[in-house]
């Protein structure tokens, strides 16, 4: 079983590496412009000229998938980096200071977690003009709360360890405790959360774009492609929705599974249980 799992992980890694390669080499791999409209070629099924067919505006679907992947993957990675920075900082401060500060910060966190993330996204989107940067900010600002709770839980657990108490006894400063002992111990959790969170960010971008409040409609992204395809499914243009849907599904499943593998590798059961206030 272990050998089969290793083989499967290698397959997923190859898939993600190939996906990154082909999306960021899109200008070299395809002769078509993702924004070029050709009304004479609308809704053409897959063929030798257009391997994945064309969409409702005559644009090559494969080309838009490649360029859209650049946007979706960039949003996923950048938004999760933002969420990690905010969440880890919040969790470290709350867990390290403890006491009244910790209780206040946890009540703020509980209040934010009680609001559905999609409502938070829509609320923030109303205040920020639609753009690639705004989508990154929106997803990052609504994804950091679970990270903060987990990091805070780990900091609280580490503060009770013997080596931390010994460091305090010998006169280690707060900055030394954080940089030399606490943060390095939290690094595996941060890595696992970063990998797993990318899939959430990709899904969030697709959801926002599908609702028409994410990436501007003229920009190719997997979510935008699904949004544009919904009106043409009943007319038989199955290829418009099938290929972006498959890429979203496969990419999210691959990243999620790799996150689970890393979680098992670092033996982090607290990621399954979640933090407690």
């Amino acid at each position: 079983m272990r050998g089969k799992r290793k083989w499967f992980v290698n397959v997923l890694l190859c898939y993600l590496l190939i996906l990154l390669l082909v999306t960021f080499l899109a200008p070299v791999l395809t002769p078509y412009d993702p924004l070029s409209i050709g009304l004479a070629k609308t809704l053409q099924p897959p063929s030798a000229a257009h391997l994945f067919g064309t969409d409702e505006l005559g644009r090559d679907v494969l080309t838009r998938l490649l360029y859209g992947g650049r946007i979706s993957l960039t949003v996923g990675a950048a938004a999760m980096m933002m969420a990690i920075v905010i969440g880890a900082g919040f969790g470290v401060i709350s867990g390290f200071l403890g006491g009244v500060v910790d209780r206040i910060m946890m009540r703020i966190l509980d209040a934010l977690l009680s609001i559905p993330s999609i409502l938070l996204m829509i609320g923030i989107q109303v205040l920020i003009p639609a753009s690639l940067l705004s989508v990154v900010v929106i997803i990052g600002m609504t994804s950091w709360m679970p990270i903060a709770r987990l990091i805070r839980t780990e900091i609280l657990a580490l503060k009770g360890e013997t080596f931390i108490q010994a460091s305090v006894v010998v006169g280690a400063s707060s900055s030394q405790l954080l940089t030399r002992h606490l943060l390095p111990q939290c690094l595996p959790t941060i890595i696992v959360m970063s990998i797993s969170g990318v899939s959430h960010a990709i899904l969030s971008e697709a959801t926002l774009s599908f609702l028409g409040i994410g990436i501007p409609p003229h920009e190719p992204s997997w979510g935008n492609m699904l949004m544009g395809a919904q009106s043409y499914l009943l007319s038989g243009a199955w290829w418009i929705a099938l290929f972006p849907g498959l890429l979203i599904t496969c990419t999210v499943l691959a990243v999620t599974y790799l996150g689970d593998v890393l979680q098992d590798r670092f033996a982090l059961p607290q990621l399954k249980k979640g933090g407690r206030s």
Side-chain angles (χ1 to χ4, degrees), residues 200-257:
H200 169 75
I202 292 174
L203 277 178
S204 296
E205 182 277 322
T207 301
L208 289 174
S209 297
F210 184 78
L211 294 175
I213 56 175
I215 302 297
H218 66 279
E219 294 287 346
S221 79
W222 294 341
N224 272 344
M225 294 180 71
L226 283 178
M227 179 189 67
Q230 60 181 325
S231 301
Y232 298 91
L233 287 177
L234 296 179
S235 64
W238 50 268
W239 58 89
I240 307 179
L242 175 64
F243 296 115
L246 278 177
L247 274 178
I248 292 174
T249 301
C250 293
T251 303
V252 168
L253 289 177
V255 174
T256 301
Y257 186 80

Side-chain angles (χ1 to χ4, degrees), residues 72-272:
S72 295
L73 295 174
T74 299
V75 168
M80 190 40 54
M81 289 178 61
M82 180 179 177
I84 287 292
V85 170
I86 298 174
F90 191 97
V92 167
I93 293 173
S94 178
F96 186 74
L97 295 181
V100 176
V101 174
D102 178 46
R103 288 194 292 272
I104 293 174
M105 294 180 73
M106 284 300 100
R107 297 296 77 77
I108 295 173
L109 192 61
D110 289 338
L112 292 174
L113 286 171
S114 67
I115 305 174
S117 59
I118 188 63
L119 293 182
L120 282 175
M121 292 180 187
I122 294 174
I124 298 174
Q125 178 65 25
V126 172
L127 304 175
I128 306 177
S131 67
L132 178 62
L133 179 60
S134 70
V135 172
V136 172
V137 171
I138 289 168
I139 297 174
M141 290 179 63
T142 56
S143 304
W144 62 269
M145 288 81 80
I147 301 170
R149 185 177 287 279
L150 288 170
I151 296 298
R152 177 254 186 183
T153 300
E154 188 152 350
I155 292 292
L156 288 176
L158 288 170
K159 284 171 63 178
E161 295 290 338
T162 304
F163 72 95
I164 295 294
Q165 297 175 359
S167 299
V168 174
V169 170
V170 299
S173 64
S174 297
S175 60
Q176 289 175 329
L177 288 175
L178 285 172
T179 58
R180 296 183 182 180
H181 301 295
L182 295 176
L183 288 178
Q185 293 293 323
C186 293
L187 189 59
T189 302
I190 293 174
I191 293 174
V192 173
M193 292 296 294
S194 299
I195 299 298
S196 301
V198 170
S199 59
H200 169 75
I202 292 174
L203 277 178
S204 296
E205 182 277 322
T207 301
L208 289 174
S209 297
F210 184 78
L211 294 175
I213 56 175
I215 302 297
H218 66 279
E219 294 287 346
S221 79
W222 294 341
N224 272 344
M225 294 180 71
L226 283 178
M227 179 189 67
Q230 60 181 325
S231 301
Y232 298 91
L233 287 177
L234 296 179
S235 64
W238 50 268
W239 58 89
I240 307 179
L242 175 64
F243 296 115
L246 278 177
L247 274 178
I248 292 174
T249 301
C250 293
T251 303
V252 168
L253 289 177
V255 174
T256 301
Y257 186 80
L258 290 176
D260 290 341
V261 171
L262 285 176
Q263 176 180 321
D264 294 339
R265 173 66 178 82
F266 289 122
L268 301 175
Q270 68 270 29
L271 293 184
K272 293 181 180 180

Side-chain angles (χ1 to χ4, degrees), residues 54-78:
T54 61
D55 64 8
E56 71 278 7
L57 295 178
R59 299 169 296 193
D60 184 67
V61 172
L62 177 58
T63 299
R64 289 182 63 80
L65 281 174
L66 295 179
Y67 280 89
R70 302 171 80 180
I71 292 179
S72 295
L73 295 174
T74 299
V75 168

